[in-house]
Amino acid sequence: MDLLWYQGVPGGNANTSVLDGTVNYKVADNFDNPYIGEINSIMVYGLTITNDGTGWVPWIPGDTEPFILRIYDQYTDQPDWNNPLYQLNIDAEVTYIQEVWSAYDLCKFEFDFDTPLSLNQGWISPQINVDAGAGGWFLWIKAEEGDGDDIAWQQGQPQLEYDLMLELWGTELAYMPGSISGTVTLDGPGNVEDVLISTSGHPAVHPDPDG
């Protein structure tokens, strides 16, 4: 498969995206690449910690964890939160990556599709689903480099001026759709300030304590 979009290298913020009873946080980041043919796999990276009202508590994920994966039209200033183009109840394959901030585990969460997605732009919003049996919360971690435009959103909060760790894998087109003739050679895809945002008593953004 081709790497279609890349936002990598963990930074010093992480944004909570979880459905857990009355706790309902959504986070979204965007992609836009006209050379994307089909998307076979979406990978996001984040922390496995839960805020229990008194502090942050690590938890150990299983081999898979249930998510609600939403994709919105990217040609809006921010996601149209109530009107996703896709909303999938899907299990993510979980892989431990490394320790970050000398305190927490960073994991990769991979969503693979039996039927590839035919999209070359959108807002992606992965929300871990504790109500469906997930063991804890997911905090999507900031990306320090990659293809992004330094724009992401947490629902109900001001715009985030950074990207989140995200990879898209699938089939890359040899030429841009609609081109009259010839082909275009595309270089491979190129492209966490401490902020604390609180929502309903729970931090929605977790900063690196040593940042």
Side-chain angles (χ1 to χ4, degrees):
M1 289 192 294
D2 301 315
L3 177 57
L4 307 171
W5 192 262
Y6 169 76
Q7 295 172 183
V9 183
N13 282 0
N15 294 75
T16 305
S17 192
V18 62
L19 178 62
D20 183 3
T22 60
V23 178
N24 186 9
Y25 297 145
K26 299 185 186 79
V27 180
D29 202 350
N30 62 327
F31 70 96
D32 188 351
N33 178 358
Y35 292 94
I36 293 176
E38 292 181 326
I39 299 171
N40 294 85
S41 181
I42 294 174
M43 302 177 189
V44 297
Y45 294 74
L47 309 182
T48 52
I49 52 178
T50 298
N51 192 290
D52 65 1
T54 61
W56 291 98
V57 180
W59 63 280
I60 299 174
D63 293 336
T64 64
E65 293 291 343
F67 274 74
I68 305 169
L69 181 65
R70 300 176 180 91
I71 301 178
Y72 304 89
D73 189 345
Q74 193 262 341
Y75 295 117
T76 53
D77 291 338
Q78 64 174 293
D80 184 358
W81 298 102
N82 295 322
N83 295 290
L85 298 174
Y86 295 91
Q87 180 169 312
L88 307 173
N89 294 310
I90 186 171
D91 286 343
E93 295 184 12
V94 185
T95 304
Y96 170 79
I97 300 300
Q98 65 185 69
E99 184 182 80
V100 294
W101 309 349
S102 302
Y104 303 119
D105 290 342
L106 175 67
C107 293
K108 176 178 71 175
F109 296 82
E110 179 175 346
F111 307 97
D112 296 322
F113 307 113
D114 294 332
T115 302
L117 303 179
S118 296
L119 289 171
N120 57 29
Q121 57 79 27
W123 292 98
I124 293 175
S125 178
Q127 183 185 43
I128 202 166
N129 192 349
V130 174
D131 291 354
W137 292 13
F138 164 73
L139 279 73
W140 200 355
I141 197 165
K142 177 182 176 183
E144 291 286 10
E145 66 179 36
D147 297 318
D149 56 5
D150 292 327
I151 295 175
W153 287 92
Q154 179 129 31
Q155 185 180 24
Q157 300 294 339
Q159 176 183 298
L160 306 174
E161 296 182 351
Y162 51 82
D163 297 312
L164 303 164
M165 284 188 67
L166 168 67
E167 295 176 14
L168 305 181
W169 291 82
T171 303
E172 188 173 62
L173 300 176
Y175 60 91
M176 184 181 296
S179 62
I180 297 174
S181 63
T183 60
V184 178
T185 301
L186 178 69
D187 292 336
N191 334 358
V192 285
E193 89 212 44
D194 294 338
V195 178
L196 182 64
I197 300 175
S198 296
T199 304
S200 303
H202 289 281
V205 175
H206 190 296
D208 179 352
D210 297 325

